[in-house]
Amino acid sequence: YWRDWSSDVCSSDLNPTAIIGLPGGGTQLAGVLSNVNRGQIPTMIISLGDDTTWYGTKGGSQYAWFMEQDTSAVAAAGTNYYIQALGAKKIGFLGTNEGYGNASLIGFKSAMQAAGLTPVGIQQYSPVATDLTAQVLAMKGADAVDDYGYPNPVAVQLKQFQQNGLNIPSISGGSSFITVQQKL
Protein backbone atom coordinates (compact mmCIF):
# COMPACT_ATOMS: atom_id res chain seq x y z
CA TYR A 1 0.00 0.00 0.00
CA TRP A 2 1.49 3.33 -1.03
CA ARG A 3 0.00 6.62 0.03
CA ASP A 4 0.56 10.09 -1.39
CA TRP A 5 0.07 12.21 1.72
CA SER A 6 -0.38 15.39 -0.28
CA SER A 7 -3.94 14.35 -1.23
CA ASP A 8 -6.84 14.53 1.18
CA VAL A 9 -7.62 11.08 2.56
CA CYS A 10 -6.72 7.43 2.13
CA SER A 11 -8.26 5.66 -0.84
CA SER A 12 -11.58 4.12 0.23
CA ASP A 13 -11.12 1.12 -2.08
CA LEU A 14 -7.95 -0.05 -0.29
CA ASN A 15 -9.09 0.39 3.33
CA PRO A 16 -5.86 -0.54 5.11
CA THR A 17 -6.18 -1.50 8.77
CA ALA A 18 -2.83 0.10 9.62
CA ILE A 19 0.11 1.88 8.03
CA ILE A 20 3.54 0.83 9.27
CA GLY A 21 6.80 2.57 8.46
CA LEU A 22 5.54 5.95 7.31
CA PRO A 23 8.59 8.24 7.27
CA GLY A 24 8.17 11.80 8.37
CA GLY A 25 9.76 14.46 10.41
CA GLY A 26 10.04 18.10 11.30
CA THR A 27 7.71 20.44 9.48
CA GLN A 28 6.10 17.79 7.26
CA LEU A 29 4.41 16.01 10.18
CA ALA A 30 1.62 18.58 10.53
CA GLY A 31 0.12 17.70 7.14
CA VAL A 32 0.69 13.98 7.65
CA LEU A 33 -1.06 13.94 11.02
CA SER A 34 -3.98 15.93 9.65
CA ASN A 35 -4.49 13.21 7.03
CA VAL A 36 -3.97 10.44 9.59
CA ASN A 37 -6.76 11.97 11.71
CA ARG A 38 -9.12 12.23 8.72
CA GLY A 39 -8.41 8.66 7.58
CA GLN A 40 -8.56 7.26 11.14
CA ILE A 41 -6.00 4.61 10.23
CA PRO A 42 -3.53 3.63 12.96
CA THR A 43 -0.11 4.73 11.71
CA MET A 44 3.44 3.93 12.85
CA ILE A 45 5.68 6.87 11.90
CA ILE A 46 9.45 6.45 11.62
CA SER A 47 10.35 9.79 13.11
CA LEU A 48 11.14 11.69 16.23
CA GLY A 49 7.91 13.27 17.41
CA ASP A 50 7.89 16.29 19.69
CA ASP A 51 5.50 18.31 21.84
CA THR A 52 3.70 19.63 18.73
CA THR A 53 2.97 16.17 17.28
CA TRP A 54 2.26 13.86 20.21
CA TYR A 55 -1.27 12.77 20.99
CA GLY A 56 -2.97 15.23 23.32
CA THR A 57 -1.46 18.31 21.66
CA LYS A 58 -3.16 20.54 19.09
CA GLY A 59 -1.28 18.96 16.17
CA GLY A 60 -1.22 15.39 17.48
CA SER A 61 -3.29 12.37 16.53
CA GLN A 62 -4.72 9.48 18.52
CA TYR A 63 -4.00 7.33 15.45
CA ALA A 64 -0.25 8.07 15.23
CA TRP A 65 2.58 6.40 17.11
CA PHE A 66 6.25 7.26 16.72
CA MET A 67 8.92 4.57 16.32
CA GLU A 68 11.83 6.72 17.39
CA GLN A 69 15.47 5.84 17.35
CA ASP A 70 17.26 6.85 20.49
CA THR A 71 18.56 10.10 19.02
CA SER A 72 20.12 11.10 22.31
CA ALA A 73 22.18 7.88 22.36
CA VAL A 74 23.27 8.41 18.75
CA ALA A 75 24.57 11.91 19.57
CA ALA A 76 26.29 10.64 22.73
CA ALA A 77 28.00 7.89 20.71
CA GLY A 78 29.22 10.41 18.12
CA THR A 79 30.56 12.71 20.80
CA ASN A 80 32.24 9.81 22.61
CA TYR A 81 33.91 8.82 19.33
CA TYR A 82 35.46 12.28 19.11
CA ILE A 83 36.62 12.13 22.71
CA GLN A 84 37.88 8.55 22.83
CA ALA A 85 39.12 7.87 19.27
CA LEU A 86 40.24 11.32 18.18
CA GLY A 87 41.20 12.80 21.54
CA ALA A 88 39.01 15.86 20.92
CA LYS A 89 38.60 18.19 23.89
CA LYS A 90 37.01 21.25 22.26
CA ILE A 91 33.75 20.06 20.74
CA GLY A 92 30.87 22.18 19.48
CA PHE A 93 27.24 21.33 18.84
CA LEU A 94 25.05 22.37 15.93
CA GLY A 95 21.51 21.08 15.54
CA THR A 96 17.92 21.89 14.76
CA ASN A 97 15.82 23.85 17.21
CA GLU A 98 13.06 21.22 17.38
CA GLY A 99 12.62 17.59 18.51
CA TYR A 100 15.52 16.04 16.60
CA GLY A 101 18.08 18.67 17.54
CA ASN A 102 16.84 18.94 21.12
CA ALA A 103 17.03 15.18 21.70
CA SER A 104 20.50 15.08 20.13
CA LEU A 105 21.62 17.97 22.34
CA ILE A 106 20.70 15.94 25.43
CA GLY A 107 23.01 13.11 24.34
CA PHE A 108 25.78 15.54 23.41
CA LYS A 109 25.62 17.29 26.79
CA SER A 110 25.55 13.95 28.60
CA ALA A 111 28.72 12.72 26.85
CA MET A 112 30.49 16.03 27.38
CA GLN A 113 29.59 16.11 31.09
CA ALA A 114 30.69 12.48 31.59
CA ALA A 115 34.06 13.38 30.06
CA GLY A 116 34.37 16.53 32.18
CA LEU A 117 34.36 18.75 29.08
CA THR A 118 32.66 22.06 28.36
CA PRO A 119 31.22 22.63 24.85
CA VAL A 120 32.98 25.19 22.66
CA GLY A 121 29.52 26.34 21.66
CA ILE A 122 25.94 25.21 21.23
CA GLN A 123 24.12 26.61 18.24
CA GLN A 124 20.65 25.60 17.09
CA TYR A 125 18.90 26.53 13.87
CA SER A 126 15.66 26.09 11.93
CA PRO A 127 15.14 22.68 10.25
CA VAL A 128 14.92 24.56 6.93
CA ALA A 129 17.89 26.90 7.47
CA THR A 130 19.68 28.00 4.31
CA ASP A 131 22.30 30.24 5.94
CA LEU A 132 24.28 29.07 8.97
CA THR A 133 27.01 31.72 8.90
CA ALA A 134 26.54 32.81 12.53
CA GLN A 135 26.34 29.22 13.79
CA VAL A 136 29.37 28.14 11.74
CA LEU A 137 31.50 31.06 12.91
CA ALA A 138 30.59 30.23 16.52
CA MET A 139 32.44 26.91 16.03
CA LYS A 140 35.84 28.60 15.50
CA GLY A 141 38.28 27.09 17.94
CA ALA A 142 36.53 23.69 18.02
CA ASP A 143 38.51 20.60 17.12
CA ALA A 144 35.30 18.63 16.36
CA VAL A 145 31.61 19.43 15.76
CA ASP A 146 28.39 17.45 16.14
CA ASP A 147 25.68 18.58 13.70
CA TYR A 148 22.28 16.98 14.22
CA GLY A 149 20.22 18.58 11.51
CA TYR A 150 18.46 17.39 8.39
CA PRO A 151 20.43 16.75 5.17
CA ASN A 152 20.08 20.17 3.52
CA PRO A 153 21.18 22.26 6.53
CA VAL A 154 24.02 19.78 7.21
CA ALA A 155 25.17 20.34 3.61
CA VAL A 156 24.96 24.10 4.18
CA GLN A 157 27.06 23.75 7.34
CA LEU A 158 29.74 21.75 5.55
CA LYS A 159 29.89 24.22 2.63
CA GLN A 160 30.06 27.18 5.00
CA PHE A 161 32.86 25.52 6.97
CA GLN A 162 34.84 25.41 3.71
CA GLN A 163 33.90 28.98 2.77
CA ASN A 164 35.12 30.21 6.16
CA GLY A 165 38.33 28.17 6.19
CA LEU A 166 37.22 25.86 9.00
CA ASN A 167 38.73 22.39 8.68
CA ILE A 168 36.84 20.75 11.54
CA PRO A 169 35.60 17.15 11.53
CA SER A 170 31.81 16.99 11.63
CA ILE A 171 29.64 14.07 12.66
CA SER A 172 25.90 13.69 12.25
CA GLY A 173 23.22 11.03 12.31
CA GLY A 174 21.43 9.69 9.24
CA SER A 175 21.78 13.03 7.47
CA SER A 176 25.46 12.37 6.78
CA PHE A 177 24.69 9.45 4.50
CA ILE A 178 21.98 11.34 2.62
CA THR A 179 24.17 14.43 2.25
CA VAL A 180 26.96 12.37 0.68
CA GLN A 181 24.77 10.09 -1.45
CA GLN A 182 22.78 13.00 -2.89
CA LYS A 183 25.95 15.06 -3.41
CA LEU A 184 24.49 17.95 -1.46
Side-chain angles (χ1 to χ4, degrees):
Y1 176 73
W2 174 254
R3 171 74 171 101
D4 175 2
W5 289 99
S6 63
S7 60
D8 285 337
V9 293
C10 293
S11 174
S12 60
D13 58 339
L14 295 175
N15 291 324
T17 56
I19 299 172
I20 300 172
L22 175 72
T27 56
Q28 72 184 160
L29 279 178
V32 169
L33 293 180
S34 173
N35 286 328
V36 167
N37 275 334
R38 283 198 301 270
Q40 297 183 350
I41 300 168
T43 305
M44 300 292 287
I45 300 174
I46 304 169
S47 174
L48 179 66
D50 64 20
D51 60 3
T52 64
T53 60
W54 292 321
Y55 178 58
T57 64
K58 183 178 178 183
S61 171
Q62 67 180 344
Y63 301 100
W65 291 272
F66 294 90
M67 299 184 303
E68 304 172 2
Q69 67 179 5
D70 188 351
T71 302
S72 178
V74 171
T79 305
N80 284 326
Y81 171 77
Y82 279 148
I83 295 166
Q84 296 164 8
L86 301 182
K89 303 283 185 226
K90 298 183 282 182
I91 306 170
F93 178 88
L94 296 166
T96 60
N97 59 4
E98 44 72 78
Y100 177 54
N102 293 336
S104 300
L105 180 56
I106 291 168
F108 169 78
K109 285 181 175 179
S110 174
M112 292 292 285
Q113 183 179 17
L117 299 174
T118 302
V120 167
I122 294 173
Q123 295 287 312
Q124 291 186 272
Y125 54 81
S126 165
V128 295
T130 57
D131 180 8
L132 297 174
T133 304
Q135 292 85 353
V136 161
L137 294 176
M139 295 299 118
K140 280 189 175 185
D143 50 18
V145 171
D146 285 22
D147 186 351
Y148 288 91
Y150 299 106
N152 287 337
V154 169
V156 169
Q157 174 251 317
L158 294 170
K159 287 177 185 176
Q160 290 185 329
F161 266 27
Q162 289 177 337
Q163 292 167 348
N164 288 285
L166 300 177
N167 187 16
I168 304 170
S170 296
I171 199 165
S172 188
S175 294
S176 298
F177 175 76
I178 296 167
T179 301
V180 171
Q181 290 299 313
Q182 297 299 315
K183 299 180 177 146
L184 300 175

